[in-house]
Amino acid sequence: SIFDRAWYRQNSVQANFAIQAGKAFRFQSFNRYSKNSGALDNDAFVDELDFTYTAKNLQTGVKNTIGIGKAQVNVLYQLNRTRRNYLDDSTKSRNGFYRFNQSAYKAMEHFTEAFVVYPFGFFRLTPGGDFRAANTDYNAHQVSAFGASKPAQSGDSVKQEQTSLYAALNFTQHGFSAEGGGRFNHHSVYGNNFAFNFNPSYLVTKNVKLFANVSSGYKTPSLYQLFSVYGNKDLQPETSLNLEGGAQVFFGAEKGNLRATYFNREVKDVIAFFYNPATFRSSYINQDRQNDHGIEVDGNLQLTKMIQLRAFYSYVDGKITTKQNGRDTTYFNLLRRPKHTVNIYLGTQLTPALYVSLNVNTVGKREDIYFDPVTFASQPITLKPYTLVNLTTEYALLQNRLTLFADFRNVLDQTYSDIYGYNTAGFNAYGGFRFRF
């Protein structure tokens, strides 16, 4: 390889437990902690020999389920805490902008939700509400040819909250099913918003189902998009209208099914990352309208008692309409997103204890923008397709409490062969075990 090997380490632990106190009450706790560290590059295809990072993440929470007559009450709380530190001392810098760069990010997110599931007759009513709050801190010490700076942001001011109330009503009778619902959101910065969804389905025969869905969406900018070095405090939320329809065919009891879906999505005030070649500044901006559409086909088939086949195909196309030089301009903008994607999975239970699976994933060509770090010029390019092959084996012991597994992966990627004159080929293997108490 013409590039150095950037190292990476990950350590993680997960612990879940549950208490069933009679038929009416259940308590569950989930806890996940991970620590990642590694080396970073200076830029795309530009090495950096002394740029390292450490990232720590804690996710913990509880879920309570209480039965009251026919109703079921659910209460959930989750905490997500992230710490990230970067250090580039530039003693071995390769074209690095900073002579010294040390930065630290801290983020905290709280999420709590309560909802009730109440069945009556042919209906099921689900009302509820949730509350989420997030804040982040940022401190850095940076030295470049333009001098030294110590940018900082406090979680006391870089924060946002959202309160939501929602309800959904489901009806099922004689092969017809429909669910309609709505959600009211109150955001600490962007005020009030309402979103809805309606999705009917109908069993034409015992083996054929038709379905449709119409819904709206609402997405506020993240704290990073608002307050980071690329932030824009004038960003507006994204809103969307989503249409979907299709059919599903069932091949019989436990033999499999095939589903085809068409979707169309229109998003307004799309949040995008923008580089200004005149000011050399990058920031997040709102663009006018994004329209995407496509087809997805997926299915699974039990070929024999021992062999299962699953396959997936997707076609995605899209364009954005925005103003350039005072005029509306429409163009394809799904960068690095393939129009065609195929995934095939084949699994077999060779023995009661041994399971083997083969997964092949093919990603089609993609359009991208290449930024030349020397000339600062951007030019459109077409990335070539690539294929991933993954072979996995699992062996169960101790009445399925202990599982040994091994994973073998092979990749041939010709994405940047025309630009840099080389192909990426690799083989990875790893193994481990899982134990269930």
Side-chain angles (χ1 to χ4, degrees):
S1 173
I2 62 175
F3 302 110
D4 70 330
R5 292 181 176 271
W7 59 274
Y8 170 80
R9 297 190 186 97
Q10 175 176 307
N11 297 284
S12 61
V13 60
Q14 177 173 315
N16 303 328
F17 66 89
I19 299 174
Q20 186 73 46
K23 295 182 179 180
F25 180 77
R26 181 177 177 82
F27 172 85
Q28 295 175 269
S29 174
F30 52 91
N31 306 273
R32 293 184 288 268
Y33 176 79
S34 63
K35 178 181 179 181
N36 303 328
S37 57
L40 297 172
D41 291 321
N42 178 65
D43 204 340
F45 304 101
V46 179
D47 285 327
E48 179 64 275
L49 302 181
D50 56 1
F51 195 1
T52 60
Y53 80 98
T54 301
K56 302 176 182 178
N57 178 252
L58 171 66
Q59 298 181 44
T60 183
V62 294
K63 179 181 180 181
N64 301 318
T65 304
I66 307 169
I68 304 176
K70 293 183 178 181
Q72 184 184 78
V73 181
N74 300 269
V75 181
L76 170 70
Y77 170 75
Q78 180 174 320
L79 168 70
N80 189 349
R81 188 187 71 186
T82 301
R83 302 286 187 269
R84 290 184 289 136
N85 294 277
Y86 299 85
L87 176 62
D88 183 4
D89 60 19
S90 298
T91 58
K92 302 176 182 179
S93 178
R94 291 183 176 180
N95 303 315
F97 177 79
Y98 292 108
R99 298 173 182 173
F100 178 83
N101 182 9
Q102 184 176 26
S103 56
Y105 298 83
K106 298 180 181 180
M108 185 83 74
E109 182 179 30
H110 301 272
F111 174 77
T112 183
E113 181 181 26
F115 63 95
V116 179
V117 179
Y118 183 72
F120 58 100
F122 303 117
F123 297 89
R124 186 178 71 249
L125 177 64
T126 307
D130 62 55
F131 172 79
R132 64 191 71 208
N135 65 76
T136 183
D137 291 88
Y138 167 67
N139 293 277
H141 181 198
Q142 300 168 335
V143 180
S144 69
F146 300 97
S149 62
K150 294 185 177 181
Q153 293 175 332
S154 170
D156 295 334
S157 57
V158 184
K159 61 182 181 180
Q160 59 183 4
E161 299 175 353
Q162 179 173 289
T163 303
S164 301
L165 297 174
Y166 60 85
L169 182 63
N170 179 275
F171 171 81
T172 302
Q173 176 68 356
H174 300 306
F176 176 78
S177 177
E179 182 177 279
R183 172 183 288 266
F184 172 79
N185 305 301
H186 175 74
H187 196 275
S188 58
V189 178
Y190 296 105
N192 301 331
N193 176 267
F194 181 79
F196 71 91
N197 74 284
F198 178 65
N199 52 344
S201 64
Y202 180 64
L203 276 171
V204 181
T205 67
K206 190 165 66 173
N207 297 326
V208 179
K209 181 172 75 172
L210 303 178
F211 59 88
N213 177 64
V214 55
S215 64
S216 63
Y218 177 74
K219 179 183 177 183
T220 60
S222 68
L223 292 176
Y224 186 85
Q225 291 170 334
L226 289 170
F227 297 103
S228 70
V229 64
Y230 305 112
N232 178 1
K233 296 180 182 179
D234 294 326
L235 285 176
Q236 297 300 310
E238 293 182 348
T239 58
S240 66
L241 179 63
N242 312 285
L243 304 175
E244 184 178 283
Q248 188 171 14
V249 179
F250 302 92
F251 301 128
E254 300 182 357
K255 290 185 178 180
N257 66 87
L258 178 66
R259 179 177 59 182
T261 306
Y262 170 80
F263 65 89
N264 190 297
R265 177 177 62 245
E266 183 170 320
V267 186
K268 295 182 179 180
D269 293 321
V270 181
I271 298 175
F273 190 75
F274 175 72
Y275 169 73
N276 191 327
T279 62
F280 300 102
R281 187 181 185 278
S282 298
S283 67
Y284 288 95
I285 63 170
N286 284 113
Q287 294 185 307
D288 291 345
R289 300 188 310 275
Q290 174 79 40
N291 183 250
D292 303 324
H293 64 277
I295 297 173
E296 293 182 349
V297 180
D298 65 278
N300 64 81
L301 184 64
Q302 195 71 36
L303 298 177
T304 69
K305 291 183 178 180
M306 297 174 54
I307 303 176
Q308 183 185 44
L309 172 67
R310 294 201 300 263
F312 171 83
Y313 167 77
S314 73
Y315 168 80
V316 180
D317 198 1
K319 59 185 178 181
I320 192 165
T321 301
T322 188
K323 288 189 179 298
Q324 290 186 356
N325 300 321
R327 300 177 60 185
D328 283 343
T329 303
T330 300
Y331 58 92
F332 176 85
N333 71 319
L334 299 183
L335 301 180
R336 296 180 296 279
R337 299 181 188 179
K339 286 189 174 183
H340 303 276
T341 303
V342 178
N343 186 276
I344 299 175
Y345 173 90
L346 191 65
T348 177
Q349 191 76 48
L350 292 178
T351 71
L354 179 61
Y355 185 81
V356 180
S357 65
L358 176 68
N359 191 82
V360 179
N361 185 27
T362 297
V363 176
K365 65 180 182 179
R366 295 134 291 149
E367 304 302 318
D368 200 0
I369 301 295
Y370 170 65
F371 175 77
D372 193 319
V374 178
T375 63
F376 300 106
S378 298
Q379 60 182 7
I381 58 173
T382 299
L383 307 181
K384 290 186 176 181
Y386 66 88
T387 299
L388 299 172
V389 179
N390 183 21
L391 177 66
T392 302
T393 61
E394 296 184 357
Y395 193 81
L397 300 168
L398 303 177
Q399 297 180 340
N400 292 327
R401 292 184 178 274
L402 176 63
T403 301
L404 307 178
F405 63 87
D407 200 16
F408 307 92
R409 299 183 180 183
N410 183 46
V411 58
L412 175 60
D413 189 350
Q414 295 180 306
T415 294
Y416 295 98
S417 59
D418 291 340
I419 304 173
Y420 298 98
Y422 70 91
N423 299 330
T424 300
F427 177 81
N428 299 317
Y430 69 91
F433 68 91
R434 296 187 297 269
F435 187 78
R436 179 172 59 88
F437 293 95

